Amino acid sequence: MTGSQNNAQVNKLLTNISNKIVPDGSIAEQILPLINVVQSSGLLGGYGTSHLRIETSLTTGKNKVPRIDTRSYTTTAYSVDDHGLSDIITKRDYANVEAPFDAENDTIVEIVTKLQLEKEKGLADTLTSTAIITQNTTLSGTSQFSDYTNSDPLGKFSTARAAIYNATGSVPNKAIMSWAVYDKIRYHPSLLVNLGYNYDRPGGLSVQELARALDVQEILVGKAVYESAKEGQSSSIAPVWGKHIVFAVAPAVATRTQTSLGYRIQLFGAPRKVYKNAVTNPPESTEIIVMDSYQQLISKATAAYLIKDAIA
């Protein structure tokens, strides 16, 4: 009897195990407060700053009460766009795709994933663009927070908060960063010392502790990755949120008379939907369509501050 006769022979697919990169940790839908609208386009109302101007209100005797101009209104246009992708599952696909694969479910999941990544990457690209978030700084060399000896993250964080406050009168309540940035700065000595841990913190700072160091209520850590290589090229997986940090004023709920970096606007009652349509070409096939309708509207860019290339 040879040794090879004792080896297990696997000729079929394992039915309960498979490998796949799943873009976990999407945060786009947690950043901007949600507005449900009935019409796909319209105007977002706002106020000017005339109500903040100091007036002379002193009046004595028979002098008239000073009259001022009030009700300075502004508007920002919004337009909800439809986003959709589709694929066809043929009769042969249904017959030949075996467990652990599932032709129909896999198709739906992959289309939904692509739509979600498009939304995530779209907002990430917007919030990390110096052309849009004009309050920003770009770090390089020893100023990047991956240089634990020379960089000054606390000074940069203070500058970011001050810039937002000076422009809006509101303090940032959120900070957004990729997992790579979080994993690097949670071990930064100056942050550990600032929170009183010094070097007695082998596991680094938690998300909640790091929020205290940044002086914000919440940190959103984007873990999603995407395929950055073009079709036919060698695979290259990259983080959606890059190597940047964004401070922002972004309330949890959309209300009247508030400061917010922007809003996630979607049609009322129209979240992401899956459609299955029978098609005759090819015969006995099913077309899977997934639709999403939204706009990620940046209505007040001065309610954000971008630290670009925070780490090397």
Side-chain angles (χ1 to χ4, degrees), residues 167-183:
T168 67
S170 298
V171 295
N173 65 313
K174 288 180 181 177
I176 303 136
M177 65 187 70
S178 68
W179 178 85
V181 173
Y182 164 69
D183 191 51

Side-chain angles (χ1 to χ4, degrees), residues 6-302:
N6 292 324
N7 293 335
Q9 301 298 312
V10 179
N11 297 315
K12 292 180 66 67
L13 283 167
L14 296 175
T15 59
N16 59 348
I17 297 174
S18 60
N19 284 328
K20 185 176 185 178
I21 296 178
V22 179
D24 183 34
S26 296
I27 59 174
E29 295 183 353
Q30 303 174 49
I31 296 174
L32 304 176
L34 173 65
I35 300 177
N36 283 303
V37 297
V38 176
Q39 297 177 322
S40 61
S41 62
L43 298 173
L44 172 67
Y47 293 83
T49 58
S50 63
H51 62 291
L52 301 177
R53 189 170 292 111
I54 306 300
E55 307 286 355
T56 300
S57 61
L58 180 65
T59 180
T60 59
K62 295 183 179 181
N63 291 335
K64 290 184 177 180
V65 175
R67 182 171 295 159
I68 62 172
D69 291 327
T70 60
R71 300 183 305 277
S72 175
Y73 299 141
T74 64
T75 57
T76 301
Y78 72 83
S79 178
V80 176
D81 296 318
D82 293 330
H83 300 258
L85 294 170
S86 69
D87 194 8
I88 287 180
I89 307 170
T90 66
K91 177 182 178 181
R92 181 169 294 185
D93 292 330
Y94 281 115
N96 293 337
V97 173
E98 298 179 332
F101 306 122
D102 183 312
E104 189 168 294
N105 184 66
D106 289 347
T107 298
I108 294 172
V109 169
E110 297 212 353
I111 293 177
V112 169
T113 297
K114 283 180 175 290
L115 288 174
Q116 182 61 41
L117 277 175
E118 180 191 25
K119 179 183 288 186
E120 190 86 2
K121 188 69 163 57
L123 187 57
D125 287 351
T126 295
L127 296 186
T128 58
S129 168
T130 56
I132 297 173
I133 307 303
T134 54
Q135 296 182 145
N136 62 73
T137 185
T138 299
L139 306 185
S140 62
T142 58
S143 67
Q144 292 177 300
F145 302 153
S146 43
D147 187 328
Y148 288 166
T149 302
N150 300 294
S151 62
D152 179 25
L154 290 173
K156 293 294 190 293
F157 299 159
S158 178
T159 297
R161 294 192 302 269
I164 293 174
Y165 176 77
N166 291 337
T168 67
S170 298
V171 295
N173 65 313
K174 288 180 181 177
I176 303 136
M177 65 187 70
S178 68
W179 178 85
V181 173
Y182 164 69
D183 191 51
K184 182 64 66 172
I185 67 173
R186 68 192 178 113
Y187 294 103
H188 199 291
S190 69
L191 303 185
L192 293 169
V193 171
N194 178 259
L195 293 178
Y197 295 119
N198 207 347
Y199 297 100
D200 187 24
R201 200 67 171 177
L205 300 176
S206 68
V207 174
Q208 294 75 22
E209 290 166 339
L210 190 60
R212 288 173 53 201
L214 274 66
D215 200 8
V216 293
Q217 297 174 14
E218 181 182 21
I219 289 180
L220 295 175
V221 179
K223 300 177 183 177
V225 296
Y226 74 103
E227 176 59 82
S228 64
K230 300 295 184 182
E231 189 78 33
Q233 296 179 347
S234 298
S235 176
S236 179
I237 302 301
V240 170
W241 288 93
K243 299 180 178 181
H244 323 295
I245 301 175
V246 180
F247 284 78
V249 181
V253 179
T255 64
R256 295 177 61 184
T257 63
Q258 67 180 182
T259 297
S260 182
L261 167 62
Y263 297 92
R264 178 166 60 93
I265 303 175
Q266 71 177 32
L267 292 179
F268 184 79
R272 195 177 296 115
K273 292 184 177 180
V274 178
Y275 300 89
K276 301 178 184 179
N277 301 322
V279 294
T280 58
N281 189 10
E284 299 183 54
S285 299
T286 302
E287 182 182 28
I288 304 295
I289 304 174
V290 183
M291 297 293 301
D292 199 359
S293 300
Y294 63 89
Q295 182 187 12
Q296 300 180 118
L297 175 68
I298 304 303
S299 56
K300 196 171 188 65
T302 53

